[in-house]
Amino acid sequence: MTTSVSLPDNICALLVNDVPSRCAVLRELLNKVGVSDIRQATTRSEVLRELNDAPIDIILLASACSFDAIQMAREIRASNTRPYVPIILIVDEVDGPQALSARDSGVTDFLPRPFTLLGMTQCLANTVVGNRARQPASPPISTKPTLAKSAKAA
């Protein structure tokens, strides 16, 4: 029995890792599952620039960067450009104080190493599809009474 997981079309992913060989492996895996718009950042400033320049759907953030990945998640959440973009933190373990701190910092999900192609695809699909389902189709409707309603009540 084969389990098939499909991703939505036109996903733009941002890989955040300062180890070129790991980025190359992740890029190859993303290509295999149909993600072709893949951006890469190795520094904090590059991450924030990519968020400004591209319609990023998901961020894959390595916990083993030379900079603090959890602090980077906080900066993304505090940014005015894309504060709700899902962040998947690639980690060695998903338990413990780092995981709790990551959740508190706005990390959406974890992808524990080592991972399989299917595991990565499921994580991406759950995160991207879930995030798109939570995005409002139109601006939220105000719950404040309008002037016309206030006049009728008076």
Side-chain angles (χ1 to χ4, degrees):
M1 180 172 120
T2 304
T3 304
S4 177
V5 177
S6 62
L7 295 172
D9 293 334
N10 304 321
I11 292 177
C12 181
L14 175 60
L15 300 179
V16 183
N17 196 323
D18 54 4
V19 179
S21 60
R22 288 186 180 168
C23 279
V25 169
L26 282 169
R27 182 178 290 279
E28 184 177 326
L29 292 173
L30 288 168
N31 280 323
K32 283 186 178 185
V33 298
V35 178
S36 57
D37 191 356
I38 303 168
R39 311 297 174 109
Q40 186 174 329
T42 58
T43 66
R44 284 181 144 102
S45 60
E46 287 177 2
V47 170
L48 297 174
R49 185 176 60 242
E50 285 293 337
L51 288 172
N52 280 323
D53 294 348
I56 304 295
D57 292 304
I58 193 157
I59 299 172
L60 287 98
L61 175 61
S63 64
C65 288
S66 61
F67 54 86
D68 185 348
I70 293 173
Q71 180 59 35
M72 183 73 252
R74 282 188 193 105
E75 289 179 35
I76 292 167
R77 294 294 178 238
S79 74
N80 290 329
T81 51
R82 307 266 306 160
Y84 303 111
V85 64
I87 302 170
I88 295 177
L89 187 63
I90 302 170
V91 295
D92 293 324
E93 57 184 51
V94 292
D95 295 327
Q98 181 188 21
L100 184 58
S101 180
R103 284 281 189 203
D104 289 345
S105 300
V107 168
T108 311
D109 205 352
F110 299 94
L111 183 58
R113 285 184 292 250
F115 52 85
T116 63
L117 183 62
L118 179 61
M120 184 188 76
T121 307
Q122 287 174 328
C123 184
L124 288 169
N126 291 340
T127 304
V128 172
V129 171
N131 187 61
R132 287 185 177 176
R134 287 188 297 272
Q135 296 297 318
S138 59
I141 298 171
S142 174
T143 57
K144 294 180 181 178
T146 63
L147 184 59
K149 288 181 184 175
S150 296
K152 286 182 181 178

